[in-house]
Amino acid sequence: MHRLVITISRIANDKRVLDSVRVIGEALGHARFDALIVGLGYDKDYLESVKRLASKYGIEVVTNLSEDEKWDLLCRAGFILHGAVNEHFGLAVAE
């Protein structure tokens, strides 16, 4: 299993992506793995906040993937962190 952790969702406050970055960043202090935040961000200020925090932890933020690239990441990931709370349906979880 590849030691890859990803968060894949719309990069937005209601998806709690900043919280996901913090959780992954803290875990990076205790274990060695690669980490990616993947998704589109329509709120440019929030997206920039995510990118700034992620860069402090060495986490890459990817905002434009093809379907093939997305599926490759999902297949290679050892863990997928989904930070949304009380979401009635999440496509990222289903995928």
Side-chain angles (χ1 to χ4, degrees):
M1 172 175 55
H2 186 68
R3 296 180 61 88
L4 173 65
V5 175
I6 64 171
T7 288
I8 185 166
S9 79
R10 181 171 40 85
I11 298 176
N13 187 45
D14 63 316
K15 301 295 186 179
R16 298 180 52 206
V17 178
L18 279 173
D19 290 339
S20 294
V21 172
R22 287 185 194 99
V23 167
I24 293 169
E26 290 298 317
L28 280 168
H30 303 285
R32 296 185 64 148
F33 55 86
D34 296 322
L36 293 172
I37 305 297
V38 178
L40 296 176
Y42 300 103
D43 178 340
K44 298 304 178 196
D45 292 334
Y46 189 80
L47 177 59
E48 287 307 313
S49 295
V50 168
K51 286 181 176 180
R52 267 192 311 275
L53 183 61
S55 71
K56 290 181 182 179
Y57 292 113
I59 299 169
E60 184 179 357
V61 178
V62 180
T63 58
N64 191 14
L65 285 181
S66 70
E67 279 293 306
D68 287 341
E69 291 169 317
K70 177 184 76 172
W71 283 106
D72 179 61
L73 283 176
L74 287 169
C75 290
R76 288 190 304 119
F79 298 94
I80 300 170
L81 178 61
H82 187 67
V85 174
N86 295 326
E87 186 169 42
H88 66 285
F89 178 79
L91 190 54
V93 174
E95 290 178 330

